[in-house]
Amino acid sequence: MIEWETVIGLEVHVQLTTASKIFSGSSTAFGAEPNSQASLIDLGLPGTLPSVNRAAIEQAISFGLAIGADINQRSVFERKHYFYPDSPKGYQTTQNDEPIVKGGAIEIELENGERKTIRIHHAHLEEDAGKSSHEGFQGNSGIDLNRAGTPLIEVVSEPDMRSAEEAVAFARALYSIVTTLGVCDGKMAQGSLRFDVNVSVRPKGQEEFGTRTETKNLNSFRFMEACIKQEVARQIDVLEDGGNVVQETRLYNGDTHTARSLRVKEDADDYRYFPCPDIPPVVVSSEDIEALKAALPELPEARKARFVSEYELSNYDATQLTTERHTADYFEAVAKHCGDAKLAANWVLGDVAGMLNQQELSITDSPISAEQLGELITRIKDGTISGRIAKQVFDAVCESGKSPDAIIEEQGLKQVSDSGALEKIVDQVLADNPEQVEAFRAAEEHRQKRMFGFFVGQTMRLSQGKANPQQVNQILQEKLKG
Amino acid sequence: MHQLTLTQLQQGLANGDFTATDIAEHYLSRIEAHDPQLNSFITITADQALAQAKAADKARAKGEAGPLNGLPIAHKDMFCTQGVKTTSASRMLDNFVPPYNATVVERLQQAGMVMLGKTNMDEFAMGSSNTTSFYGAVKNPWQPDCVPGGSSGGSAAAVAARLTPAATGSDTGGSIRQPAALTGITGLKPTYGRISRWGMIALASSMDQAGPMATTAEDCALLLNALAGHDNKDSTSATQAAEDYTQGLQQPISGLRIGVPEEFFPETLSSGVANPVRAALSLLEEQGAVLVPISLPCLAWVVPTYTALVAAEACSNLSRFDGVRFGHQCDNPKDIEDLFTRSRSEGFGANVKERILLGNSMLSVENYQRYYVKAQQVRRLISQALTEALQEVDLIAGPTTPDVAFGFDDKQDPVSMNLSDTFTIGANLAGLPAISFPVGFEQGLPVGAQLIGGAFKEAQLLQVVHQYQQATQWHQETPKLGAAQ
């Protein structure tokens, strides 16, 4: 029985967040009417010429600096030729021999805590294509060129990953970096990050790589993991049956969770690359690079380490909070406001994440602001409300947008901590339930523990949840002794 | 009136001798009378011209007339004109009406010029004879059985026949200068990047350069004043400030060093061309210039270098013509492959297809290093050699073409067609400005001389030719046109 080793390399298309396209002034906003954001240049009209969007260059450089890569101070755009209806010029303007980012590496951490460095071969700038749509055109195809010309960086890793888990960890780490830098909005469902996975297997110990396949356009971590596992199994099956893996491009279908062969690469495609004569080489000065370096935000790895040391969070929580920059920013704002990082982390990773997930919102669109959540936690800590009431206030804040204090006030949710008032309530509970009181008093100690909860529940109910639970415990214990 | 230069028409307008409308009407009637024989226009924009002339007259009445206000112009049909069909003389674009103006068109329009129409050319500017146009060949006004040169053959013929006082052209390997020489007019190819390429349908982006074609250097200077300058829409357009190119025209040329490369006067050069060019150089010498014999052996390599690079860039630039968004689309395509294949097969002419095949071959993985990269290296060497030569001398001079206009019946294979561009190509490979101007006749056909200058030395080229034209009448000779039918 041969033991197989998986080898994975990723090519990741990262859509940049520039307001306008890479070679035209058109907007890059998602979801507009088809072709409403396609200018003369995006349509590839005869006589039109590209002008490089400097913001895209800067974003690519920031990414390169963030992964410790060399920045090519003279990068060159080339033309990659192929005919496709959503490629308006008959070529894609991309970088080939002289990409803007060379080398670099991304650290990944697996769930078992093991760390690994994945090397980056290069990252280059290019323009996105348009979209073809084959439904609703009576057998014809529709073409939407809104996306054509959207700036991308294509990040090409070395084949350094050895499992689907490593590939996903890499993808997540890359996601964290580009969203932390703000060069990508991270909206994967909209295609802001798209993964092509190159997978091959080889007998463990063998040095040379097996024949690889490339599966294109995976836009979720989950799909990626499933797809890789499936492909690895498929290749091993083929090899163990005595067959050969065919070098091919495959397409994964997220609905059926199956992949199919798109085209077999018998010969390498000849894209007839050559330097685009319409675009002079992109020259960046050392000063420009230094300025971008100085402007880099704290990167996910560093921030995670700081969260562990500064806030004494668990490695797990710190990882979760720093995967996405805005989540980390939100958490820090909450923690600062309430002064309790652990509670803040629990709320952000628990209720806030659940609510956002349910409402399909990103944290930047959260209906409860970091200040409001900070205030809410403060009210728990200072005993104004109980943890249970806090959930109710949380929901109300999300719904109304009002401040926690206003809601506590309006709905009269203040915790009752006045022992006189609480004693009255407890007395009422005991008076209402004489049989239970009697039974309790007669019971052995270990049974009493179980029965005690009944009285707490009754008291909380009578107080409409506002009773201070610790005080209720104390008073009940005393009064039940009889 | 049509014997007047732009400069003289400008004077007449300023004096109130005639109006812009008078001028437009005059030229439109000449076009109507004579263009059926010459075929120098693809589209005549009579209504628009009269409207623009009227607007120009109004502007003048209000005292808002700039130097080009009310003067006629014809645009080579590769410059996009908003709302006016722009074909590049190809079936592929027979239905293409651009929604925007080329910078060249826009600037002259802003200056108040009156567009008479769009001129014929070789298909996609590929050619030296203007015989490859989808709209038929252009005839040389001097001898209708001869070609006018190309690719800006329509512009050249129209100016030579005085159907317009001036026209725009484009020059990738001589496409302004060669037809200017073959029709006896003055044509300037400026430094690469001096005039914006925005809106000019590309042949070879790294060499294409728009320029003025007129009867005199002075008129070319006047037009260049409006055309030159940086354009944000063209990343390869020069940032160097443009000048007033008319300012130095009157300066004497004494002391100017003119390099005469022996390679421009090979033994095979016909005396009918060599003699008038040598005579012109002698005249410049009399005017104070110093002739310096030089040698540029690199010129032997210009044709193959140019052929490889132009084909490579052209096939890439022509990739956008796929029948999907604009231009010719075949009937009833079976599928997308069929749409691409048939639209392109039907839309492009034979000469264009040949270049596409050649270009794709140059860029293929197999040939890229061997041909494309090698050609780029040779291009750098040629560029270096010319630039170095221009540090020793102010200008380089010689004939524009090795021969006068040839007949339509003279079979020309593409290689010898390219060879006829030997003298002009160097300036394109090096991005240098060059000008062709008439210096005599050989058997009734015009002979042109060429001056190549240092980068951004257009003013100097124009000055030398202007001084020459002050002392000669060749530029005033006009062809006898057949009677209107």
Side-chain angles (χ1 to χ4, degrees), chain A residues 109-310:
Chain A
E109 188 175 310
L110 303 176
E111 274 183 32
N112 62 12
E114 190 188 316
R115 296 177 71 84
K116 191 169 172 179
T117 300
I118 308 299
R119 294 168 301 152
I120 302 300
H121 181 269
H122 76 271
H124 64 258
L125 275 161
E126 64 184 25
E127 59 181 339
D128 210 342
K131 278 182 190 163
S132 295
S133 147
H134 307 290
E135 275 159 39
F137 296 94
Q138 288 93 40
N140 293 327
S141 294
I143 298 165
D144 178 5
L145 293 176
N146 281 354
R147 201 183 65 180
T150 297
L152 302 176
I153 46 174
E154 182 175 334
V155 183
V156 180
S157 84
E158 297 285 2
D160 285 353
M161 287 151 278
R162 295 289 173 268
S163 67
E165 193 200 353
E166 288 185 13
V168 171
F170 171 79
R172 286 189 188 277
L174 177 63
Y175 175 95
S176 299
I177 292 170
V178 295
T179 53
T180 297
L181 291 170
V183 304
C184 180
D185 66 15
K187 292 176 182 168
M188 301 193 38
Q190 295 178 7
S192 296
L193 245 85
R194 308 195 290 271
F195 302 95
D196 298 346
V197 293
N198 288 289
V199 176
S200 65
V201 297
R202 61 181 171 191
K204 198 155 188 141
Q206 177 182 307
E207 205 160 304
E208 70 194 72
F209 293 132
T211 304
R212 69 188 159 88
T213 63
E214 180 183 21
T215 307
K216 281 184 139 7
N217 261 338
L218 298 158
N219 68 349
S220 89
F221 300 128
R222 201 160 51 84
F223 288 169
M224 200 175 108
E225 184 164 11
C227 163
I228 292 172
K229 286 183 170 159
Q230 218 179 74
E231 179 59 13
V232 167
R234 189 190 70 84
Q235 290 188 12
I236 292 174
D237 276 353
V238 168
L239 293 169
E240 290 189 341
D241 287 349
N244 289 314
V245 173
V246 178
Q247 189 180 348
E248 63 186 351
T249 303
R250 299 174 65 81
L251 203 63
Y252 186 77
N253 184 332
D255 295 330
T256 60
H257 299 287
T258 52
R260 63 178 172 85
S261 177
L262 194 65
R263 57 174 184 270
V264 174
K265 285 189 176 175
E266 285 178 344
D267 306 300
D269 292 317
D270 189 348
Y271 292 116
R272 306 183 308 282
Y273 283 101
F274 82 112
C276 179
D278 289 330
I279 307 174
V282 176
V283 176
V284 284
S285 67
S286 306
E287 292 75 36
D288 290 344
I289 295 173
E290 283 311 312
L292 287 166
K293 201 174 209 167
L296 283 183
E298 186 182 21
L299 292 165
E301 276 294 304
R303 202 170 195 184
K304 183 169 115 184
R306 182 167 63 79
F307 279 14
V308 171
S309 63
E310 185 179 332

Side-chain angles (χ1 to χ4, degrees), chain A residues 40-52 78-79 81 83-85 87-91 97 143 145 269-275 277-280, chain B residues 80 93 96 99-100 192 197-201 205-206 232-236 312-313 316-317 319-322 324-326 336 340 344 360 363-365 368 372:
Chain A
L40 305 176
I41 296 171
D42 308 320
L43 288 167
L45 279 196
T48 57
L49 298 168
S51 294
V52 178
E78 299 199 22
R79 295 179 179 180
H81 299 86
F83 286 108
Y84 204 72
S87 166
K89 298 184 295 295
Y91 55 80
D97 273 349
I143 298 165
L145 293 176
D269 292 317
D270 189 348
Y271 292 116
R272 306 183 308 282
Y273 283 101
F274 82 112
D278 289 330
I279 307 174
Chain B
C80 285
L93 290 179
F96 179 58
Y100 76 110
Y192 179 76
R197 293 188 296 116
W198 173 260
M200 181 166 86
I201 298 175
S205 315
S206 75
N232 285 330
K233 295 205 277 287
D234 173 3
S235 309
T236 62
E313 293 187 27
S316 173
N317 285 330
S319 302
R320 67 186 60 203
F321 301 101
D322 57 8
V324 174
R325 294 162 311 284
F326 46 75
I336 189 67
F340 290 151
R344 287 171 67 81
N360 278 323
L363 292 176
S364 68
V365 168
Y368 183 72
Y372 180 82

Side-chain angles (χ1 to χ4, degrees), chain A residues 16 33 49 53 58 60 88 97 104 109 145 178 186 195 256 260 299 319 321 372 375 430 436-437 440 457 464 476:
Chain A
L16 300 180
E33 277 293 295
L49 298 168
N53 181 347
E58 289 176 0
D97 273 349
E109 188 175 310
L145 293 176
V178 295
F195 302 95
T256 60
R260 63 178 172 85
L299 292 165
T319 306
L321 287 170
Q372 287 171 330
E375 185 178 306
L430 298 187
Q436 282 84 350
V437 174
F440 180 88
Q464 290 167 311
L476 268 174

Side-chain angles (χ1 to χ4, degrees), chain B residues 3-355:
Chain B
Q3 299 299 347
L4 302 178
T5 64
L6 275 186
T7 313
Q8 290 162 337
L9 288 168
Q10 180 194 55
Q11 208 55 53
L13 282 170
N15 295 341
D17 300 341
F18 38 72
T19 64
T21 307
D22 295 336
I23 301 175
E25 281 172 350
H26 178 75
Y27 280 103
L28 287 170
S29 70
R30 277 188 69 76
I31 292 169
E32 197 181 350
H34 300 293
D35 202 53
Q37 290 96 61
L38 295 177
N39 196 28
S40 64
F41 281 83
I42 290 175
T43 304
I44 298 158
T45 50
D47 292 346
Q48 186 178 326
L50 293 172
Q52 285 179 343
K54 208 169 153 190
D57 284 330
K58 262 196 193 148
R60 185 171 300 279
K62 281 195 278 179
E64 292 164 3
L68 291 171
N69 185 72
L71 299 175
I73 187 79
H75 289 298
K76 187 176 182 179
D77 207 23
M78 68 184 326
F79 293 102
C80 285
T81 40
Q82 187 171 358
V84 176
K85 189 171 86 158
T86 300
T87 67
S88 247
S90 179
R91 183 184 181 197
M92 183 58 89
L93 290 179
D94 188 40
N95 62 2
F96 179 58
V97 178
Y100 76 110
N101 275 334
T103 298
V104 161
V105 172
E106 188 64 28
R107 288 195 174 194
L108 296 187
Q109 190 171 304
Q110 290 302 323
M113 289 198 95
V114 174
M115 181 175 82
L116 299 174
K118 306 292 294 290
T119 60
N120 206 342
M121 55 187 280
D122 276 302
E123 185 180 2
F124 283 110
M126 295 176 189
S128 317
S129 61
N130 217 128
T131 53
T132 66
S133 167
F134 175 63
Y135 303 93
V138 178
K139 309 229 165 53
N140 191 318
W142 293 93
Q143 277 180 26
D145 56 348
C146 285
V147 303
S151 64
S152 313
S155 289
V159 172
R162 306 308 196 252
L163 306 188
T164 178
T168 53
S170 75
D171 191 316
T172 306
S175 280
I176 286 176
R177 290 160 289 156
Q178 185 253 17
L182 268 43
T183 59
I185 66 164
T186 307
L188 172 73
K189 180 204 94 76
T191 310
Y192 179 76
R194 180 67 295 172
I195 297 176
S196 168
R197 293 188 296 116
W198 173 260
M200 181 166 86
I201 298 175
L203 167 56
S205 315
S206 75
M207 284 175 259
D208 292 348
Q209 178 57 212
M213 303 173 81
T215 56
T216 64
E218 189 177 27
D219 286 0
C220 286
L222 200 60
L223 288 167
L224 188 60
N225 275 355
L227 291 168
H230 179 68
D231 181 5
N232 285 330
K233 295 205 277 287
D234 173 3
S235 309
T236 62
S237 96
T239 48
Q240 182 143 342
E243 316 161 32
D244 179 354
Y245 298 95
T246 57
Q247 205 169 32
L249 293 175
Q250 314 303 337
Q251 300 294 321
I253 60 168
S254 44
L256 201 78
R257 292 169 61 81
I258 300 180
V260 185
E262 54 182 318
E263 291 80 4
F264 274 174
F265 293 90
E267 278 175 23
T268 49
L269 188 69
S270 76
S271 57
V273 170
N275 291 341
V277 175
R278 288 209 188 275
L281 293 177
S282 300
L283 179 66
L284 292 177
E285 199 172 18
E286 279 168 37
Q287 290 182 325
V290 182
L291 300 185
V292 185
I294 61 170
S295 179
L296 288 170
C298 68
L299 290 174
W301 302 105
V302 297
V303 172
T305 303
Y306 172 83
T307 305
L309 295 178
V310 169
E313 293 187 27
C315 80
S316 173
N317 285 330
L318 293 172
S319 302
R320 67 186 60 203
F321 301 101
D322 57 8
V324 174
R325 294 162 311 284
F326 46 75
H328 179 72
Q329 189 175 64
C330 68
D331 288 330
N332 305 315
K334 280 203 309 282
D335 52 28
I336 189 67
E337 278 301 315
D338 188 41
L339 174 75
F340 290 151
T341 309
R342 276 202 292 134
S343 299
R344 287 171 67 81
S345 300
E346 294 165 7
F348 291 136
N351 184 43
V352 173
K353 287 179 194 164
E354 200 172 286
R355 298 263 193 137

